[in-house]
Amino acid sequence: MTRQVEFTLRPRPRGCHLVTDEVVRHLPDLPQYGLLHLFVKHTSCGLCINENADPDVRSDLSAILDHLVPEDQSYYDHTMEGSDDMPAHAKSALVGVSLTIPITGGRLNLGTWQGIYLCEFRNYGGSRHIVATIVE
């Protein structure tokens, strides 16, 4: 059986944000075993799994991505939507826009120190729309 829900994550400022609890709140009851696939319907943010304990990981990851893909580069052609837009698209391509997480015992089977991140790459990205597909 496959179920699908769409929901919206609240707006967040630029940076990497732990959203595991917010995602789980929007999900229907999970099966005993299966897979959860998450897809963010945007081209200037991303989803990833990383450490859920130390907030320095989130700020360091943001700093690393900003260093890898800086703003205001002379070789960018796509500049009409602001200096953070083209770098946001590139970062989204690097991080990715989807995740697949196993479900075991009716819960997400994440590691002890793992959490779901929304990586917001725009200064004012707004709310982000997620498609969650649950496969039993």
Side-chain angles (χ1 to χ4, degrees), residues 31-47:
Q32 283 299 302
Y33 299 96
L35 294 172
L36 170 66
H37 183 265
L38 298 173
F39 174 79
V40 61
K41 296 171 66 172
H42 301 275
T43 61
S44 56
C45 63
L47 294 172

Side-chain angles (χ1 to χ4, degrees), residues 1-5 23-24 27-38 49 99-111 114 116 132-136:
M1 174 191 270
T2 302
R3 292 178 285 160
Q4 192 171 78
V5 296
V23 168
V24 169
L27 298 176
D29 290 337
L30 297 175
Q32 283 299 302
Y33 299 96
L35 294 172
L36 170 66
H37 183 265
L38 298 173
I49 293 176
L99 297 172
T100 301
I101 303 167
I103 300 167
T104 306
R107 299 178 56 161
L108 298 182
N109 194 348
L110 294 167
Q114 289 183 318
I116 301 168
T133 304
I134 300 163
V135 180
E136 289 187 57

Side-chain angles (χ1 to χ4, degrees), residues 58-116:
R58 297 189 286 277
S59 60
D60 286 349
L61 186 56
S62 294
I64 290 166
L65 289 166
D66 287 343
H67 179 76
L68 289 173
V69 187
E71 293 183 9
D72 299 317
Q73 297 302 298
S74 61
Y75 51 85
Y76 293 161
D77 292 325
H78 180 75
T79 59
M80 296 299 291
E81 296 178 57
S83 62
D84 65 334
D85 188 51
M86 187 58 233
H89 295 313
K91 292 172 191 175
S92 177
L94 290 172
V95 171
V97 294
S98 67
L99 297 172
T100 301
I101 303 167
I103 300 167
T104 306
R107 299 178 56 161
L108 298 182
N109 194 348
L110 294 167
T112 301
W113 306 110
Q114 289 183 318
I116 301 168

Side-chain angles (χ1 to χ4, degrees), residues 19-20 30 34 38 41 44 48-50 52 57 70 76 82 87 90-91 98 105-106 118 124 128:
V19 296
T20 310
L30 297 175
L38 298 173
K41 296 171 66 172
S44 56
C48 71
I49 293 176
N50 219 302
N52 64 3
V57 172
Y76 293 161
K91 292 172 191 175
S98 67
L118 171 71
Y124 306 102
R128 297 306 193 170

